[in-house]
Amino acid sequence: MPLARLARSGARTAVSVPTVEDEAMRDLTRAREDALSALKDAKCRLNAFLLRHDIRYTGRATWNPAHLRWLSAGVGPTPAQPIVFQAYVRAVTEPPERLRRLEQDRQERVKAWRLHPVVEALQALRGVPCMVAVTTVAELGALTRCDSPRELMQFLGLMPSEYSTGERRRQSAMTKAGNTHARRALVEGAWAYRSPAQVSRPLQLRLEKQPKAIPDISWKAQVRLCKRDRKLIARGNHADQVVVAIARELMGFMWAIAKEIPVPPSDQKTAHAQPVTQKVA
């Protein structure tokens, strides 16, 4: 009965339901993220095995062709250890091919996606390449479904947590609520604003495809975020705290760009957060 009263008064909050195509793109980006995580774990296990047996590579760089050729030789005084070693090596060499296949599928399918114009426009921002843009849009959907960028910041858990009592107000680390995948992509892109504001050649090529309003927003974001990064670092804040603050404001500029791009409506209707189980009397 309380749900029915809320439905009658219009007090329930509606939520956006992703379409089948949106869910498919989200699964594709998460599969790539899982492949990267598997590759990182495999490298850690292989390095731990080599360190345990005091086997050290003397080359300049790791995971390049020379390093992989060095890894192709079996090691270990017993027959079992070379078997384990080669298993670890295969675990490192196989995920890159999986990543290439996922990247190719993503490039092909994102062009036919209804949110492709938003993905292209978001790449006008520094630190937002195709993968960051696709991940953000796939996880959040249409950014303009929120009335303000602050709602998106809260949804991603980028807002500082607060412990207040009486007249005392204390803020702490970010809440880490909401979507982890999109938050990780935004923080990764925010590191690009550690350098002074400039338009690189790859960024300039992306800007040429966009209307004038979007490059203006992109340059405004560079000037503000680079200046804020230097200011927070000079104040003595830790680099990890600074990059989270930059990612929070970067989300606001992404919302502003999404407002400039018309998005075709989805065929799936908006649903309410709670289903009505009883009729209104």
Side-chain angles (χ1 to χ4, degrees), residues 183-198:
R183 181 171 65 248
R184 185 183 297 113
L186 279 174
V187 172
E188 180 180 348
W191 285 104
Y193 293 92
R194 301 303 304 273
S195 304
Q198 64 176 351

Side-chain angles (χ1 to χ4, degrees), residues 228-241:
R228 180 164 175 78
D229 183 277
R230 294 193 301 269
K231 181 179 180 180
L232 293 176
I233 290 294
R235 191 184 296 175
N237 296 92
H238 193 275
D240 293 341
Q241 295 176 336

